[in-house]
Amino acid sequence: EASRWFHYGLTSNDVVDTAQALQIGQASALIATALQGLAETLKRRAFEFKHAVQIGRTHGVHAEPITFGLKLALWYDEARRNLERLNGAAAEMRCGKISGVVGTFGHVGPAAEERICARLGLNPASIASQVISRDRHAHYVSALALICALCEKIALEVRHLQRTEVREAQEPFTKGQKGSSAMPHKRNPVTSEQICGLARVVRANAQAAFENIALWHERDISHSSVERVILPDSTILTDYLLAKTTWLVRDMVVSPERMLRNLNATRGLIFSGQLLLDLAAAGMLREQAYRVVQTQAMKAWEQEGDFRAAIETDPDVRALLTPERIAQAFSVERYLKHVDAIFERVFGKED
């Protein structure tokens, strides 16, 4: 007798979309916990290396001094934004519909939808066709793709810093682990490379989610087969990459000594910007100051000479700057005097 009322007035997507909202809510809670764990790990290591001086690089070339803690703080700041995006996108997905084959409540009224959604902890869609609009789903998968992009950003930096010529940081290498089947000396950043590769999959899934927004009239099923792949794969991969990235950051081997050695490798070239400003402040036209500094910098670059020694004997520089002011131009501390202020901006005041 009860079977007469089973699926009464419903279409399949009344059930599927509403159930999917519950699944995504459960998955999002797990992902949010994992993302919060990554953020806490980034914060802890940022303070650990707050004053570990490192050369900043632009275009892969030595630029000016930073600290490794600032790099970690930058990642933390992005993780925090990703958590806000995830929570917002997950909230949008907390939506059900029981409005029938074209969304008009032709057989079951809005009051039933409101009672069912309230019981499930969902919000009723204010309006739907046969399906809940897929812009919500595209937004959600995009939020996952951004989380994975952060994981890739961190892993890619570790890969660069682990290069033989750099060796400032590297992913953990456990006892008995093999880096290469052919070359016993190798310590390859295999987990970092895996993170970078799998992040591409979630980004590709975001493109598929955008393709699902436009459907024929009130519904076709071109989106359905796609979502059977991209929603479980994207949520599982995001959780997996967060776990791998948290491990990578937590156990990453960092070498402040190597950072200092690399910073000093160019024999003072990285201080050219401050020297340029000091000469301009002392009265030299900026164009002339740039020529003076660049001439000595290029000579030191090409001949692997000592830039600071050349500057200290340059007559144009000595005419305006005392030895003390030249020394100040080559001061690492001068570049990093605002590190505490930046940390306070990112993390707030520490007790």
Side-chain angles (χ1 to χ4, degrees):
E1 177 66 19
S3 67
R4 292 191 297 116
W5 306 102
F6 184 75
H7 209 68
Y8 182 88
L10 303 185
T11 183
S12 296
N13 264 73
D14 286 325
V15 178
V16 171
D17 276 5
T18 304
Q20 187 182 81
L22 295 174
Q23 289 178 302
I24 288 177
Q26 293 168 347
S28 299
L30 295 173
I31 293 169
T33 298
L35 181 53
Q36 185 62 47
L38 173 60
E40 291 169 359
T41 303
L42 287 167
K43 179 179 179 179
R44 178 176 59 80
R45 300 226 76 182
F47 278 93
E48 180 182 353
F49 297 106
K50 182 178 181 180
H51 297 295
V53 181
Q54 181 185 32
I55 184 62
R57 296 172 172 90
T58 57
H59 307 280
V61 180
H62 284 201
E64 292 183 351
I66 60 170
T67 75
F68 193 58
L70 287 174
K71 194 183 293 286
L72 289 153
L74 183 74
W75 298 338
Y76 168 86
D77 195 48
E78 190 167 334
R80 185 173 57 187
R81 289 195 301 278
N82 275 321
L83 186 58
E84 292 173 357
R85 294 186 190 108
L86 174 66
N87 289 336
E92 278 193 3
M93 288 297 295
R94 198 162 54 245
C95 179
K97 61 101 46 184
I98 310 289
S99 54
V101 295
V102 289
T104 60
F105 298 98
H107 310 287
V108 177
E113 180 186 69
E114 291 170 6
R115 288 197 304 271
I116 291 167
C117 286
R119 186 171 178 180
L120 295 174
L122 301 175
N123 300 311
S126 54
I127 185 172
S129 58
Q130 191 176 108
V131 299
I132 292 173
S133 295
R134 259 43 196 177
D135 62 294
R136 299 174 186 267
H137 301 66
H139 181 204
Y140 180 74
V141 181
S142 296
L144 299 183
L146 283 167
I147 293 169
C148 294
L150 170 62
C151 294
E152 181 183 16
K153 181 177 185 176
I154 294 169
L156 184 66
E157 184 68 13
V158 173
R159 289 170 61 192
H160 281 308
L161 296 179
Q162 189 164 332
R163 285 180 296 133
T164 306
E165 297 82 1
V166 182
R167 289 180 62 187
E168 294 179 3
Q170 57 186 313
E171 70 177 48
F173 193 83
T174 59
K175 186 176 181 180
Q177 181 178 340
K178 292 181 179 179
S180 165
S181 61
M183 295 169 284
H185 74 277
K186 296 293 290 294
R187 299 180 100 179
N188 299 331
V190 291
T191 299
S192 298
E193 290 171 347
Q194 181 193 52
I195 292 168
C196 291
L198 291 176
R200 300 169 189 167
V201 176
V202 183
R203 276 201 298 278
N205 288 350
Q207 175 64 32
F210 276 96
E211 299 292 339
N212 282 347
I213 294 174
L215 303 175
W216 282 26
H217 305 299
E218 275 59 59
R219 184 217 177 184
D220 61 59
I221 62 167
S222 60
H223 70 290
S224 177
S225 55
V226 177
E227 287 177 359
R228 292 166 197 254
V229 176
I230 66 171
L231 292 179
D233 278 9
S234 297
T235 49
I236 290 168
L237 278 174
T238 301
D239 187 62
Y240 178 77
L241 292 184
L242 283 168
K244 286 293 185 181
T245 307
T246 301
W247 168 85
L248 175 63
V249 174
R250 184 189 65 229
D251 297 334
M252 177 173 52
V253 179
V254 181
S255 176
E257 297 80 11
R258 185 81 181 190
M259 290 176 181
L260 281 175
R261 191 189 314 174
N262 288 339
L263 183 142
N264 292 321
T266 57
R267 296 173 182 165
L269 277 178
I270 60 173
F271 299 101
S272 69
Q274 186 60 61
L275 180 64
L276 168 66
L277 297 179
D278 287 352
L279 285 170
M284 187 180 289
L285 290 178
R286 192 182 191 283
E287 294 80 0
Q288 182 186 355
Y290 195 98
R291 284 194 300 270
V292 169
V293 175
Q294 187 185 46
T295 298
Q296 294 291 4
M298 292 301 100
K299 188 185 300 182
W301 177 277
E302 293 163 4
Q303 300 175 5
E304 297 189 5
D306 190 319
F307 176 66
R308 178 170 179 173
I311 288 296
E312 288 174 339
T313 58
D314 187 290
D316 292 321
V317 175
R318 290 177 61 87
L320 289 175
L321 300 181
T322 64
E324 291 76 21
R325 290 192 66 186
I326 293 175
Q328 188 182 19
F330 286 85
S331 167
V332 171
E333 292 75 15
R334 190 175 177 189
Y335 280 89
L336 303 176
K337 59 181 177 292
H338 297 301
V339 170
D340 288 338
I342 296 171
F343 263 64
E344 188 173 317
R345 280 184 170 188
V346 175
F347 301 107
K349 291 186 177 181
E350 291 294 303
D351 294 331

